Amino acid sequence: MNIILIAGSPSAPSRSTRLLQYAGEQLALRGHRSGLLQVRDLPAQALLHAEFGNAELKAAQALVAAADAVVIATPVYKAAYSGLLKAFLDVLPQDGLAGKLVLPLATGGSQSHMLALDYALRPVLTSLSARHVLPSIYVTDAQVAWSAEQGLTIDSAIVQRLAAGIDNLSASLLALQETAVTEFAPVHFSQVRCSV
């Protein structure tokens, strides 16, 4: 199953992108492949002007369309997800997440912004026809740190929450895969026999 990791931070490097990459590594350990889409690398003018014909935007839309699941990460600014991420979500088709599982991740300065995922991002993901938006994982800046010497350091409670979220996503993907394999092929009505 194909998973796309969408980094919605306008900054590089960023805590939310590092957290997203960690999630990708954990998914790989569970046997899933994923690709990273950094929205900040898309052409700003095309995003801001919603240039649907732009080749780079079309390629990004195709990556999302080909995915079975999406892990989306954003910093929280002013009690909402990033404007950059909003610009990208706005150029997806209305059913751009149809049939997909979505795991939202966010980082923010304090616990005060935790509900931004449920009250700001989740409704948008649902309006894009996501099959299921899994429980969000919010991380404060104090719970995730980076240093050149130690690399990424994540608070142990967050590591457990991430493991639970990733396990949930992995199990849901496997269940979908099994369902797809065991589904019956459609039978034309002319081939149905009925005895009374």
Side-chain angles (χ1 to χ4, degrees), residues 90-115:
D90 283 348
V91 299
L92 289 178
Q94 186 60 45
D95 61 350
L97 297 176
K100 299 176 193 332
L101 301 171
V102 183
L103 175 61
L105 310 175
T107 57
S110 73
Q111 292 290 345
S112 302
H113 298 295
M114 182 186 307
L115 293 177

mmCIF file of all heavy atoms in Angstrom, residues 90-115:
data_model
loop_
_atom_site.group_PDB
_atom_site.id
_atom_site.type_symbol
_atom_site.label_atom_id
_atom_site.label_comp_id
_atom_site.label_asym_id
_atom_site.label_seq_id
_atom_site.Cartn_x
_atom_site.Cartn_y
_atom_site.Cartn_z
ATOM 1 N N ASP A 90 -6.422 23.461 -0.887
ATOM 2 C CA ASP A 90 -7.379 24.163 -1.744
ATOM 3 C C ASP A 90 -7.241 23.795 -3.215
ATOM 4 O O ASP A 90 -8.202 23.940 -3.975
ATOM 5 C CB ASP A 90 -7.232 25.680 -1.591
ATOM 6 C CG ASP A 90 -7.854 26.205 -0.303
ATOM 7 O OD1 ASP A 90 -8.584 25.441 0.364
ATOM 8 O OD2 ASP A 90 -7.592 27.370 0.040
ATOM 9 N N VAL A 91 -6.063 23.343 -3.650
ATOM 10 C CA VAL A 91 -5.909 22.985 -5.059
ATOM 11 C C VAL A 91 -6.161 21.495 -5.321
ATOM 12 O O VAL A 91 -6.111 21.056 -6.469
ATOM 13 C CB VAL A 91 -4.533 23.398 -5.645
ATOM 14 C CG1 VAL A 91 -4.359 24.903 -5.575
ATOM 15 C CG2 VAL A 91 -3.393 22.659 -4.987
ATOM 16 N N LEU A 92 -6.443 20.727 -4.259
ATOM 17 C CA LEU A 92 -6.842 19.340 -4.477
ATOM 18 C C LEU A 92 -8.284 19.320 -4.978
ATOM 19 O O LEU A 92 -9.079 20.197 -4.629
ATOM 20 C CB LEU A 92 -6.743 18.537 -3.177
ATOM 21 C CG LEU A 92 -5.342 18.231 -2.650
ATOM 22 C CD1 LEU A 92 -5.445 17.459 -1.334
ATOM 23 C CD2 LEU A 92 -4.521 17.454 -3.653
ATOM 24 N N PRO A 93 -8.647 18.315 -5.766
ATOM 25 C CA PRO A 93 -10.054 18.198 -6.173
ATOM 26 C C PRO A 93 -10.948 18.029 -4.943
ATOM 27 O O PRO A 93 -10.478 17.632 -3.874
ATOM 28 C CB PRO A 93 -10.068 16.923 -7.031
ATOM 29 C CG PRO A 93 -8.652 16.664 -7.397
ATOM 30 C CD PRO A 93 -7.799 17.266 -6.328
ATOM 31 N N GLN A 94 -12.235 18.302 -5.106
ATOM 32 C CA GLN A 94 -13.171 18.210 -3.984
ATOM 33 C C GLN A 94 -13.161 16.828 -3.329
ATOM 34 O O GLN A 94 -13.363 16.695 -2.140
ATOM 35 C CB GLN A 94 -14.595 18.556 -4.436
ATOM 36 C CG GLN A 94 -15.587 18.613 -3.290
ATOM 37 C CD GLN A 94 -15.229 19.660 -2.239
ATOM 38 O OE1 GLN A 94 -14.876 20.785 -2.568
ATOM 39 N NE2 GLN A 94 -15.308 19.283 -0.973
ATOM 40 N N ASP A 95 -12.885 15.788 -4.122
ATOM 41 C CA ASP A 95 -12.810 14.431 -3.577
ATOM 42 C C ASP A 95 -11.356 13.945 -3.554
ATOM 43 O O ASP A 95 -11.068 12.765 -3.693
ATOM 44 C CB ASP A 95 -13.687 13.478 -4.381
ATOM 45 C CG ASP A 95 -13.266 13.378 -5.837
ATOM 46 O OD1 ASP A 95 -12.408 14.185 -6.276
ATOM 47 O OD2 ASP A 95 -13.769 12.503 -6.547
ATOM 48 N N GLY A 96 -10.429 14.871 -3.348
ATOM 49 C CA GLY A 96 -9.004 14.582 -3.434
ATOM 50 C C GLY A 96 -8.477 13.568 -2.438
ATOM 51 O O GLY A 96 -7.400 13.011 -2.630
ATOM 52 N N LEU A 97 -9.218 13.305 -1.374
ATOM 53 C CA LEU A 97 -8.793 12.306 -0.385
ATOM 54 C C LEU A 97 -9.759 11.120 -0.337
ATOM 55 O O LEU A 97 -9.737 10.333 0.614
ATOM 56 C CB LEU A 97 -8.661 12.941 1.004
ATOM 57 C CG LEU A 97 -7.599 14.042 1.143
ATOM 58 C CD1 LEU A 97 -7.631 14.651 2.547
ATOM 59 C CD2 LEU A 97 -6.216 13.514 0.821
ATOM 60 N N ALA A 98 -10.575 10.982 -1.363
ATOM 61 C CA ALA A 98 -11.574 9.909 -1.388
ATOM 62 C C ALA A 98 -10.917 8.542 -1.233
ATOM 63 O O ALA A 98 -9.944 8.230 -1.916
ATOM 64 C CB ALA A 98 -12.377 9.962 -2.680
ATOM 65 N N GLY A 99 -11.454 7.751 -0.319
ATOM 66 C CA GLY A 99 -10.981 6.390 -0.111
ATOM 67 C C GLY A 99 -9.686 6.292 0.677
ATOM 68 O O GLY A 99 -9.167 5.199 0.891
ATOM 69 N N LYS A 100 -9.147 7.416 1.139
ATOM 70 C CA LYS A 100 -7.850 7.401 1.812
ATOM 71 C C LYS A 100 -7.988 7.478 3.332
ATOM 72 O O LYS A 100 -8.875 8.137 3.857
ATOM 73 C CB LYS A 100 -6.991 8.566 1.325
ATOM 74 C CG LYS A 100 -6.714 8.485 -0.164
ATOM 75 C CD LYS A 100 -5.954 9.659 -0.676
ATOM 76 C CE LYS A 100 -5.957 9.726 -2.178
ATOM 77 N NZ LYS A 100 -6.076 8.508 -2.918
ATOM 78 N N LEU A 101 -7.055 6.823 4.002
ATOM 79 C CA LEU A 101 -6.914 6.982 5.440
ATOM 80 C C LEU A 101 -5.983 8.164 5.663
ATOM 81 O O LEU A 101 -5.008 8.326 4.942
ATOM 82 C CB LEU A 101 -6.303 5.729 6.056
ATOM 83 C CG LEU A 101 -7.075 4.431 5.838
ATOM 84 C CD1 LEU A 101 -6.258 3.240 6.302
ATOM 85 C CD2 LEU A 101 -8.398 4.475 6.579
ATOM 86 N N VAL A 102 -6.269 8.987 6.665
ATOM 87 C CA VAL A 102 -5.445 10.163 6.924
ATOM 88 C C VAL A 102 -5.059 10.209 8.395
ATOM 89 O O VAL A 102 -5.918 10.086 9.272
ATOM 90 C CB VAL A 102 -6.191 11.469 6.538
ATOM 91 C CG1 VAL A 102 -5.285 12.680 6.761
ATOM 92 C CG2 VAL A 102 -6.677 11.422 5.099
ATOM 93 N N LEU A 103 -3.766 10.378 8.650
ATOM 94 C CA LEU A 103 -3.249 10.545 10.010
ATOM 95 C C LEU A 103 -2.670 11.950 10.119
ATOM 96 O O LEU A 103 -1.633 12.245 9.532
ATOM 97 C CB LEU A 103 -2.171 9.501 10.320
ATOM 98 C CG LEU A 103 -1.448 9.634 11.671
ATOM 99 C CD1 LEU A 103 -2.434 9.521 12.839
ATOM 100 C CD2 LEU A 103 -0.347 8.592 11.796
ATOM 101 N N PRO A 104 -3.345 12.861 10.860
ATOM 102 C CA PRO A 104 -2.838 14.226 11.017
ATOM 103 C C PRO A 104 -1.865 14.339 12.200
ATOM 104 O O PRO A 104 -2.113 13.808 13.282
ATOM 105 C CB PRO A 104 -4.098 15.045 11.302
ATOM 106 C CG PRO A 104 -5.254 14.113 11.173
ATOM 107 C CD PRO A 104 -4.716 12.735 11.322
ATOM 108 N N LEU A 105 -0.763 15.055 11.974
ATOM 109 C CA LEU A 105 0.219 15.361 13.008
ATOM 110 C C LEU A 105 0.401 16.870 13.048
ATOM 111 O O LEU A 105 0.325 17.533 12.012
ATOM 112 C CB LEU A 105 1.583 14.733 12.684
ATOM 113 C CG LEU A 105 1.654 13.254 12.321
ATOM 114 C CD1 LEU A 105 3.082 12.893 11.915
ATOM 115 C CD2 LEU A 105 1.198 12.399 13.479
ATOM 116 N N ALA A 106 0.664 17.416 14.240
ATOM 117 C CA ALA A 106 0.921 18.854 14.332
ATOM 118 C C ALA A 106 1.864 19.147 15.481
ATOM 119 O O ALA A 106 1.913 18.416 16.467
ATOM 120 C CB ALA A 106 -0.379 19.622 14.517
ATOM 121 N N THR A 107 2.596 20.231 15.310
ATOM 122 C CA THR A 107 3.449 20.743 16.375
ATOM 123 C C THR A 107 3.025 22.174 16.670
ATOM 124 O O THR A 107 2.563 22.889 15.785
ATOM 125 C CB THR A 107 4.939 20.744 15.964
ATOM 126 O OG1 THR A 107 5.100 21.519 14.778
ATOM 127 C CG2 THR A 107 5.443 19.327 15.716
ATOM 128 N N GLY A 108 3.170 22.562 17.939
ATOM 129 C CA GLY A 108 2.809 23.915 18.329
ATOM 130 C C GLY A 108 3.514 24.324 19.594
ATOM 131 O O GLY A 108 4.082 23.485 20.300
ATOM 132 N N GLY A 109 3.460 25.607 19.892
ATOM 133 C CA GLY A 109 4.176 26.154 21.027
ATOM 134 C C GLY A 109 3.675 25.699 22.379
ATOM 135 O O GLY A 109 4.443 25.599 23.328
ATOM 136 N N SER A 110 2.374 25.432 22.494
ATOM 137 C CA SER A 110 1.820 25.020 23.792
ATOM 138 C C SER A 110 0.603 24.125 23.580
ATOM 139 O O SER A 110 0.078 24.015 22.470
ATOM 140 C CB SER A 110 1.425 26.245 24.614
ATOM 141 O OG SER A 110 0.250 26.825 24.071
ATOM 142 N N GLN A 111 0.145 23.531 24.675
ATOM 143 C CA GLN A 111 -1.042 22.668 24.627
ATOM 144 C C GLN A 111 -2.299 23.471 24.254
ATOM 145 O O GLN A 111 -3.300 22.887 23.855
ATOM 146 C CB GLN A 111 -1.262 21.987 25.994
ATOM 147 C CG GLN A 111 -0.205 20.973 26.351
ATOM 148 C CD GLN A 111 -0.276 19.716 25.490
ATOM 149 O OE1 GLN A 111 -1.252 19.448 24.813
ATOM 150 N NE2 GLN A 111 0.810 18.952 25.506
ATOM 151 N N SER A 112 -2.232 24.785 24.370
ATOM 152 C CA SER A 112 -3.399 25.630 24.075
ATOM 153 C C SER A 112 -3.895 25.474 22.648
ATOM 154 O O SER A 112 -5.049 25.747 22.352
ATOM 155 C CB SER A 112 -3.061 27.103 24.326
ATOM 156 O OG SER A 112 -2.652 27.290 25.650
ATOM 157 N N HIS A 113 -3.012 25.037 21.747
ATOM 158 C CA HIS A 113 -3.381 24.938 20.328
ATOM 159 C C HIS A 113 -3.761 23.516 19.909
ATOM 160 O O HIS A 113 -3.959 23.251 18.726
ATOM 161 C CB HIS A 113 -2.230 25.437 19.453
ATOM 162 C CG HIS A 113 -1.894 26.868 19.697
ATOM 163 N ND1 HIS A 113 -2.762 27.894 19.416
ATOM 164 C CD2 HIS A 113 -0.779 27.441 20.209
ATOM 165 C CE1 HIS A 113 -2.201 29.044 19.737
ATOM 166 N NE2 HIS A 113 -0.995 28.792 20.226
ATOM 167 N N MET A 114 -3.858 22.618 20.856
ATOM 168 C CA MET A 114 -4.110 21.212 20.547
ATOM 169 C C MET A 114 -5.391 20.997 19.730
ATOM 170 O O MET A 114 -5.433 20.165 18.829
ATOM 171 C CB MET A 114 -4.204 20.403 21.845
ATOM 172 C CG MET A 114 -4.418 18.923 21.630
ATOM 173 S SD MET A 114 -4.705 18.009 23.152
ATOM 174 C CE MET A 114 -3.343 18.473 24.148
ATOM 175 N N LEU A 115 -6.417 21.751 20.006
ATOM 176 C CA LEU A 115 -7.701 21.543 19.331
ATOM 177 C C LEU A 115 -7.718 22.060 17.894
ATOM 178 O O LEU A 115 -8.683 21.838 17.173
ATOM 179 C CB LEU A 115 -8.831 22.174 20.143
ATOM 180 C CG LEU A 115 -9.083 21.501 21.495
ATOM 181 C CD1 LEU A 115 -10.180 22.235 22.254
ATOM 182 C CD2 LEU A 115 -9.439 20.032 21.324
#
